[in-house]
Structure formats: structure tokens, C-alpha cells
């Protein structure tokens, strides 16, 4: 298992990029902006899981990343819509 320093640098950069939406979700009060930030974190973590699966040559981690990417954040958006609708009443 020979890990490339380029892949390690890419994982560190992805972790740094994932901190930006987390900071935005922490500061924002609007539910839609918060849900958008969380969906961004979910997509970035799934891509990071795929990169780690390539680094470790562990395809079970890759399968989980693909499932997260294919299912998407439909449940998260439905919850946000329900919360918004209950607040409008």
C-alpha cells in the first residue's frame, strides 16, 4: 500500500474545503442556507470517501461513498421543506 503524497495533500485540502460550509451553517439563521451547507458537506465527504478508498485500496468504503452520492440529499431537502412549511403557518 504505497500512498502518494499528492493524494494525502488532496485529502487535507478537501478537509479544509469542508470547513467552509460548516462555518457558514454555524453563522446562518435561514433554514434553507443551513440545509444547503449541510448538503454541500455531505457531497464533499462522499467524494473524500472515494479518494480515501482509492488510497487504501478498500472498495467497501468506495461503495458507501457511491451510495451517498447516488441517493443524494433528498431526505435533507424534504425535512427542510417541512420545517419551512410549519414556520409559514
Amino acid at each position: 500500500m504505497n500512498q502518494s503524497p499528492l493524494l494525502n495533500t488532496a485529502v487535507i485540502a478537501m478537509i479544509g474545503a469542508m470547513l467552509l460550509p460548516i462555518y457558514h451553517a454555524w453563522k446562518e439563521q435561514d433554514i434553507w442556507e443551513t440545509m444547503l451547507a449541510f448538503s454541500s458537506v455531505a457531497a464533499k465527504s462522499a467524494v473524500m470517501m472515494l479518494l480515501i478508498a482509492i488510497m487504501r485500496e478498500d472498495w467497501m468504503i468506495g461503495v458507501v461513498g457511491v451510495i451517498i452520492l447516488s441517493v443524494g440529499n433528498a431526505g435533507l431537502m424534504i425535512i427542510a421543506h417541512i420545517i419551512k412549511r410549519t414556520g409559514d403557518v
Side-chain angles (χ1 to χ4, degrees):
M1 187 162 69
N2 189 5
Q3 292 184 359
S4 167
L6 182 63
L7 289 177
N8 290 335
T9 305
V11 170
I12 292 170
M14 288 176 152
I15 291 171
M18 204 163 45
L19 293 176
L20 293 172
I22 291 172
Y23 175 73
H24 184 72
W26 175 54
K27 293 197 55 134
E28 190 64 42
Q29 296 297 323
D30 184 30
I31 188 67
W32 289 106
E33 294 290 327
T34 304
M35 292 296 164
L36 182 64
F38 285 144
S39 68
S40 175
V41 168
K44 287 177 183 166
S45 64
V47 171
M48 192 168 23
M49 287 173 70
L50 290 174
L51 186 64
I52 290 171
I54 292 170
M55 284 173 47
R56 294 180 47 145
E57 298 177 4
D58 185 4
W59 297 112
M60 291 304 288
I61 296 173
V63 168
V64 172
V66 167
I67 289 172
I68 291 171
L69 281 175
S70 64
V71 171
N73 297 305
L76 191 65
M77 289 297 126
I78 289 172
I79 290 172
H81 188 67
I82 290 171
I83 290 172
K84 185 174 188 254
R85 293 277 307 234
T86 58
D88 289 342
V89 174

